[in-house]
Amino acid sequence: MDADLTISLLGQMRVLVAGSEAVLPASRKARALLAFLVATGRPHRRERLCELFWDLPDDPKASLRWALSKLRRAIGSPEESHIVADRERVFFDPGGVRIDIQDIRSALLDPERDIPLGTLEHMVRQLDDSFLDGLDDAGDEAFNAWLAAERADVDSGRVELLKRILAHPDTAPLAAGKWLALLRSIDPYTADALEQRTVSRPIAQSSEMSSYLPGKAGKNGVLERLARARAHAVRAQKIGFCDVPDGTRIAHATIGTGPPILKAANWLTHLEFDWASPIWGQCFADIAGNRSFIRYDERGCGLSDWEVQDLSFEAFVEDLEAVADTLGLQRFPLIGISQGCAVSIEYAARHPDRVSGLILISGYAAGWRLLATPEEQARRDAVIKLTELGWGTDNPAYRHIFSQTFMPDAAPADLDWFDEFQRRSTSPANAARFQEAFGHIDVRDRLAHVDVPTIVFHSREDQRIPLELGQALAAGIPNAEFVPLDSRNHILVDREPALDVCTRKIRGFLKKHGI
């Protein structure tokens, strides 16, 4: 038997033969027949298969023979086929075949099996795809009933995976809240029962959160983390709104207690989704451990107004000013990431009395319209056009253009999360407008006006903003400290060593300057 065969039954059915995708018959009935044989894993009478997929007055037996012939050619040679048939029965031999749903079910058979957290998260995301998507009504009512039962089993598998993720010692506190919310959307009774067991005593103050970061869970493990994650997600995050002079409504959120620290908005944010991100979750939890951590969605994305006339750098600065003024922030450190660095620099130059320190990560002083080569500008123009055409579609390829340049070394599951996060955070038109606006940023003449302690971080092999732009940023700000990071990611992701270096250096910077 051919051992190099992979079959995916989650989402639209796919078959890979020796790493290349097999061209399955266009007939939905033929593909449904293959899926049914693979998923059931047992012999079926020819008469029964004819009843499931073909109606009279057609010739069901001839249709079955035709379908089996087409399927054999698609997934193997006539001499070596996994489809075994005699005069009475048809059977799919699974020997040496990888089948995605079967791999997941096998992993869940042993409740004591130690499955890495990343594997669990990948499997639960696989189950987000509908079982045999697109094959509804490919057979008779009995086939549809079987398909519904299989999809119910998939939901049961998701529940079991989510319970294991929530019980895993490496699950970060903020991420636990996200997984609990997903569990509640599938099985609210199990989610409520699990949550009630975790909140059997009063929730501790959010300033204790840093004691329950990964690897520091204590003997109560998931109970402690889940209680704090739920408290942080639902109770501690306070979302409010403020108006910018042009009438735009800006959403802001505060997590934690203690001295304030404000993060400028960057591409892209959504206050309801990004707090539990597999990308920013660990960093957010660390910052919120002993401070009031304030974030906001800039105009055009997240919970802020999407329908806006002005989507410019000046407007981005005004958004930041409105949030700081509304919350009555007198003096605070300011964090900028990517284009948020330029916004933070402009704010610090305008309001030196209010900014106690600048933390700049993966930033630049001038946009691609000003510094990029003609070839690079043409490439970015093409990407903007693709964004306008495909951003809002179900095909993640358009958004993946950004994900891969932002985080080339991120895990596939994290890239998938970021793809979907971007789609839910803004419209196709705004995504294109943001890219154009970022290209015209220019604060090079403002760097010398920054008169606050500043630390600049930049990945050595940043695939989106080259290292030299980060170095130029630090060189232009008086007495700025520059910290290169060993990473290729523009946005640092949880679990990579560079993020640990960055958060440790941030803590040291704040302590050193007493801010």
Side-chain angles (χ1 to χ4, degrees):
M1 290 291 180
D2 179 5
D4 196 6
L5 185 65
T6 300
I7 298 178
S8 175
L9 302 181
L10 296 170
Q12 293 187 350
M13 184 173 64
R14 299 173 63 236
V15 177
L16 297 179
V17 180
S20 299
E21 186 159 358
V23 180
L24 297 177
S27 166
R28 294 174 69 247
K29 291 183 180 294
R31 285 181 279 126
L33 169 65
L34 175 61
F36 182 74
L37 293 172
V38 172
T40 55
R42 65 177 186 275
H44 295 275
R45 291 184 300 107
R46 284 178 175 265
E47 290 82 356
R48 178 56 178 151
L49 295 176
C50 289
E51 292 171 357
L52 279 175
F53 297 106
W54 291 279
D55 297 324
L56 294 172
D58 295 334
D59 185 346
K61 292 184 179 179
S63 297
L64 175 61
R65 288 195 299 271
W66 175 88
L68 292 175
S69 173
K70 291 289 186 181
L71 291 172
R72 283 195 180 99
R73 284 200 292 271
I75 66 174
S77 64
E79 299 80 20
E80 193 173 37
S81 175
H82 285 273
I83 299 176
V84 181
D86 57 26
R87 299 181 64 179
E88 293 187 1
R89 292 178 174 79
V90 180
F91 172 61
F92 182 86
D93 183 354
V97 181
R98 290 286 307 275
I99 305 169
D100 56 357
I101 186 64
Q102 302 293 4
D103 288 348
I104 294 173
R105 287 169 174 167
S106 296
L108 293 176
L109 283 177
D110 183 3
E112 302 300 322
R113 179 176 173 182
D114 185 15
I115 304 175
L117 177 61
T119 302
L120 291 170
E121 293 176 339
H122 175 66
M123 289 193 294
V124 82
R125 289 188 173 96
Q126 282 183 285
L127 295 185
D128 284 343
D129 292 328
S130 179
F131 181 78
L132 296 183
D133 188 26
L135 291 183
D136 304 73
D137 300 318
D140 66 1
E141 291 184 1
F143 173 79
N144 285 338
W146 169 80
L147 186 57
E150 289 294 310
R151 288 173 176 172
D153 283 346
V154 167
D155 280 342
S156 297
R158 291 176 78 200
V159 169
E160 178 60 29
L161 283 168
L162 289 167
K163 289 164 63 178
R164 292 201 186 191
I165 289 172
L166 290 167
H168 200 284
D170 292 338
T171 298
L174 292 176
K178 173 188 67 176
W179 297 121
L180 181 65
L182 179 57
L183 176 59
R184 177 168 284 104
S185 71
I186 304 167
D187 186 349
Y189 298 104
T190 297
D192 288 343
L194 180 57
E195 184 179 17
Q196 291 202 1
R197 289 201 302 271
T198 69
V199 195
S200 57
R201 60 180 178 81
I203 302 296
Q205 294 295 317
S206 60
S207 61
E208 296 180 9
M209 179 73 91
S210 59
S211 299
Y212 291 91
L213 293 175
K216 302 178 181 179
K219 68 177 182 179
N220 288 326
V222 68
L223 303 184
E224 301 285 4
R225 285 195 313 279
L226 191 53
R228 283 166 172 76
R230 183 64 176 160
H232 240 50
V234 177
R235 300 170 190 159
Q237 173 160 275
K238 299 175 183 177
I239 294 178
F241 296 87
C242 62
D243 291 328
V244 181
D246 68 1
T248 302
R249 199 179 191 209
I250 300 297
H252 54 82
T254 303
I255 300 177
T257 58
I261 185 168
L262 176 58
K263 174 190 165 292
N266 55 275
W267 171 287
L268 290 162
T269 61
H270 196 300
L271 298 178
E272 285 188 328
F273 303 143
D274 63 7
W275 67 268
S277 162
I279 300 166
W280 300 293
Q282 177 183 327
C283 182
F284 284 4
D286 189 83
I287 294 172
N290 57 3
R291 287 182 175 266
S292 294
F293 180 38
I294 302 161
R295 299 143 36 244
Y296 65 95
D297 291 332
E298 66 193 340
R299 60 183 59 219
C301 71
L303 297 181
S304 295
D305 285 349
W306 285 24
E307 301 296 328
V308 293
Q309 290 188 349
D310 189 3
L311 204 62
S312 64
F313 177 72
E314 179 63 27
F316 299 150
V317 178
E318 290 178 358
D319 294 346
L320 172 54
E321 289 176 327
V323 171
D325 291 346
T326 298
L327 295 177
L329 304 181
Q330 298 301 313
R331 191 162 175 81
F332 54 91
L334 185 56
I335 299 176
I337 299 175
S338 193
Q339 97 277 357
C341 292
V343 175
S344 301
I345 288 165
E346 180 62 30
Y347 184 90
R350 293 185 188 183
H351 308 281
D353 57 322
R354 299 181 68 175
V355 178
S356 58
L358 275 182
I359 300 164
L360 306 177
I361 305 171
S362 305
Y364 54 93
W368 59 274
R369 283 290 185 201
L370 305 175
L371 297 181
T373 63
E375 293 78 10
E376 174 66 11
Q377 292 201 37
R379 186 186 70 81
R380 295 210 178 212
D381 282 332
V383 170
I384 290 176
K385 192 63 177 178
L386 284 174
T387 301
E388 294 174 335
L389 296 174
W391 184 270
T393 68
D394 291 333
N395 186 343
Y398 301 94
R399 298 178 298 278
H400 214 57
I401 294 171
F402 298 94
S403 303
Q404 289 187 312
T405 56
F406 276 113
M407 302 169 292
D409 289 338
D414 292 345
L415 289 173
D416 290 344
W417 183 93
F418 194 60
D419 286 342
E420 179 62 14
F421 172 79
Q422 291 179 102
R423 185 184 69 83
R424 298 175 72 179
S425 296
T426 197
S427 65
N430 281 352
R433 292 175 68 195
F434 274 124
Q435 294 173 62
E436 184 65 39
F438 299 161
H440 292 280
I441 285 175
D442 190 358
V443 293
R444 288 174 290 184
D445 64 343
R446 303 294 277 165
L447 300 180
H449 295 272
V450 175
D451 188 23
V452 298
T454 301
I455 187 168
V456 179
F457 298 90
H458 210 99
S459 295
R460 295 183 189 275
E461 299 180 71
D462 190 323
Q463 302 295 291
R464 191 157 187 87
I465 305 298
L467 176 66
E468 54 265 27
L469 296 188
Q471 292 171 324
L473 197 66
I477 298 175
N479 303 313
E481 177 184 356
F482 182 72
V483 180
L485 300 170
D486 291 325
S487 175
R488 296 201 308 151
N489 293 326
H490 179 61
I491 295 178
L492 303 177
V493 299
D494 284 0
R495 299 181 298 278
E496 71 168 309
L499 181 60
D500 293 334
V501 172
C502 185
T503 53
R504 187 173 68 252
K505 288 282 189 179
I506 289 173
R507 288 195 298 269
F509 171 78
L510 296 172
K511 183 178 180 180
K512 174 183 176 182
H513 296 283
I515 52 180

